[in-house]
Amino acid sequence: QVQLVESGGGSVQPGRSLRLSCAAPGIPFSENVMAWYRQAPGNQRELVARIKSDGSTNYADSVNGRFTISRDFAKYMVYLEMNNLKPEDTAVYLCNAEHRFTRKNYWGQGTQVTVSS
């Protein structure tokens, strides 16, 4: 029943910005850790940003200061604001939810972000 759906990806030049959205209907943010991961061809999936139920956040060193994760309780939405994009940010970005107590995970299908000149 639970499905995550990402959107907002695209192709941009270095230095531009994108805002990714994740629709997470039925996911109680008070009980789940929400996160954005990314995976580039030939690379392992890596954690980009995470926001816990208490609102605290964590970012990968490579994106810290450029990306911001946020959420909207009323709309069951999670966002990733990406600024000053670099070619190394090119990847499929996936939304993830993990229940705080059961550790059950849900994943979206991903949205492609391509940064090139």
Side-chain angles (χ1 to χ4, degrees):
Q1 293 182 352
V2 177
Q3 295 187 58
L4 307 183
V5 181
E6 304 94 338
S7 62
S11 181
V12 299
Q13 294 183 330
R16 296 286 291 174
S17 299
L18 282 174
R19 183 173 183 256
L20 305 183
S21 299
C22 171
I27 297 292
F29 293 156
S30 63
E31 299 177 3
N32 285 268
V33 175
M34 305 301 298
W36 285 95
Y37 287 78
R38 68 185 180 188
Q39 186 167 15
N43 293 2
Q44 292 186 324
R45 184 174 59 201
E46 64 175 343
L47 175 66
V48 176
R50 175 169 54 199
I51 183 167
K52 296 183 178 180
S53 57
D54 64 0
S56 61
T57 58
N58 294 97
Y59 298 92
D61 289 342
S62 59
V63 307
N64 194 31
R66 297 188 297 120
F67 291 10
T68 301
I69 186 171
S70 61
R71 63 191 181 188
D72 186 322
F73 274 77
K75 297 181 179 179
Y76 292 99
M77 297 290 291
V78 182
Y79 306 98
L80 184 68
E81 181 71 34
M82 305 184 295
N83 298 312
N84 191 25
L85 283 162
K86 305 177 183 298
E88 52 263 41
D89 294 320
T90 296
V92 172
Y93 284 72
L94 304 103
C95 185
N96 169 262
E98 180 178 324
H99 195 273
R100 181 180 177 185
F101 306 115
T102 69
R103 305 303 188 194
K104 186 174 183 178
N105 278 267
Y106 297 94
W107 293 90
Q109 293 297 310
T111 184
Q112 178 71 46
V113 172
T114 301
V115 185
S116 64
S117 58

